[in-house]
Amino acid sequence: MARVSYSTDVAVVGAGTAGAAVAAFAAARGLSVVVVDAKPRADAGARWVNGVAGWMFDAAGVPRPKAPELLADGGVFHLIAGYDGPRVAVRDSGILEVDMRLLVARLQGMATHAGARI
C-alpha cells in the first residue's frame, strides 16, 4: 500500500452520512479536510431507507432532500417490531423517507465542492 502524506486541519474517519456532513461543514468554513473510509467512496455509509424528521435537516443547515433522494414526505410513518411484530402508524409525522445512499452521495458532493478530499 502506498503512503500518502497530507497536511490538514481536520481528519474525518468515515465517509458516510455523519462524516461527509462534518467534512462539508468544516471545509466550507475554510479548514483543510481529509476524509478516509475503509470502503470505496461510492460504498461508504448507509445503504437503506431511513425515516428522518424534516426539522433535522433544517437544524443541521442541510437542504431537505428532493426526489429521487426523497421517497415520501410526511405521510403515514410505520413503526414495526420485528418481521411479524406489532405495527404502529403515525400520521402527519413530518418524517421524510430518505434514500440514505443518495443522501450520503449528496453530502459527499457538498464536502468535495467545499474543498474536502475524500
Side-chain angles (χ1 to χ4, degrees), residues 4 11 14 16-17 21 23 31 38 41 45 51 55 62 65 72 75 80 82 84 90 97 105 111 117:
V4 178
T17 311
L31 296 171
R41 177 179 172 164
W55 65 265
V62 174
I80 303 168
D84 296 321
V90 180
E97 294 292 327
R117 294 175 300 217

Side-chain angles (χ1 to χ4, degrees), residues 5 8 30 40 45 70 84 96 110-111:
S5 177
T8 190
L70 178 65
D84 296 321
L96 308 177
M110 290 170 57

Side-chain angles (χ1 to χ4, degrees), residues 2-117:
R3 288 187 177 232
V4 178
S5 177
Y6 289 107
S7 175
T8 190
D9 298 314
V10 179
V12 179
V13 177
T17 311
V22 166
F25 288 121
R29 285 162 179 73
L31 296 171
S32 170
V33 179
V34 64
V35 181
V36 295
D37 197 291
K39 297 180 182 177
R41 177 179 172 164
D43 295 335
R47 315 308 296 165
W48 52 79
V49 173
N50 253 7
V52 181
W55 65 265
M56 291 181 169
F57 287 98
D58 304 336
V62 174
R64 288 186 180 212
K66 297 178 181 170
E69 182 182 318
L70 178 65
L71 302 175
D73 183 356
V76 178
F77 183 73
H78 294 94
L79 300 170
I80 303 168
Y83 290 104
D84 296 321
R87 178 183 294 220
V88 175
V90 180
R91 301 186 188 293
D92 301 319
S93 64
I95 300 293
L96 308 177
E97 294 292 327
V98 180
D99 182 326
M100 298 303 285
R101 177 181 50 91
L102 296 177
L103 174 59
V104 168
R106 178 164 62 106
L107 292 169
Q108 289 174 345
M110 290 170 57
T112 56
H113 180 74
R117 294 175 300 217

